[in-house]
Amino acid sequence: MTSYHGLVQVGQVRPGDWVAVYGAGGIGLAAVQIAAGVGALPVVVARHDDKLELARKVGAAAVINGTRTNPVEAVKEVTGGGADLTVDAVGARETMLNGINSLRPGGTHVQIGMLSQGPEGEVPLTVDPLIINETSLKGSWGMPAVEFPKLLAQVAAGKLSPGALVTGEIPLSRVNEPLDAMTSFNTLGIKVITNFAN
């Protein structure tokens, strides 16, 4: 739901758009599937091959390992000059700046990933290129309840398949394991709690 609101409502993704998604956790993978579902071309930038492989399975048109190449240059090469829409699904200074710098003129960056509070969350921007390229920067937070019928209609129509993002089931008693792993970005896909007994 967070990715749906970010791409469809805030980012106004359209068929044929190149969409560069920085991060292949739950938010990033959902963004890939949503972009592909509307006929856009998602490109995923992440640091782990297993996450990139899963991104490809859920609809990525291209994947880029950001530890092996300059991700901004790679996105521009794949997209023929830059993405129409970029998404930072990580919430880090580096991924936010890479997303902005991966845009083509007139492109839009949507910041979904939360950065730290205070000075750690401050991101230095060179403003003149944003002005010259007419870049749009937008923040996106959660999803209003009024958008749920549209999202669920996409699931019912088979355009979105949330189950494809699920890589495992866990009992409630083990919920801290994936939560702890999220702090170090050491997760693959989404874990679903299926046993609520303690």
Side-chain angles (χ1 to χ4, degrees), residues 1 3-4 7 25-35 58 160 165 190:
M1 60 187 190
S3 295
Y4 183 86
L7 269 73
I27 298 292
L29 292 171
V32 168
Q33 194 177 87
I34 290 159
V58 299
L160 298 177
L165 309 178
I190 299 170

Side-chain angles (χ1 to χ4, degrees), residues 48-118:
H48 302 285
D49 289 334
D50 56 348
K51 293 183 181 192
L52 292 170
E53 182 59 33
L54 183 54
R56 194 180 293 280
K57 287 179 183 175
V58 299
V63 296
I64 297 165
N65 187 312
T67 64
R68 296 194 189 120
T69 187
N70 180 309
V72 172
E73 290 177 6
V75 167
K76 287 185 175 183
E77 182 177 337
V78 168
T79 61
D84 301 287
L85 175 66
T86 58
V87 175
D88 175 10
V90 176
R93 188 176 296 174
E94 178 184 4
T95 49
M96 181 179 180
L97 290 173
N98 284 345
I100 293 167
N101 291 326
S102 296
L103 288 167
R104 69 178 67 240
T108 299
H109 174 77
V110 177
Q111 187 65 34
I112 296 176
M114 299 285 290
L115 281 77
S116 300
Q117 297 294 313

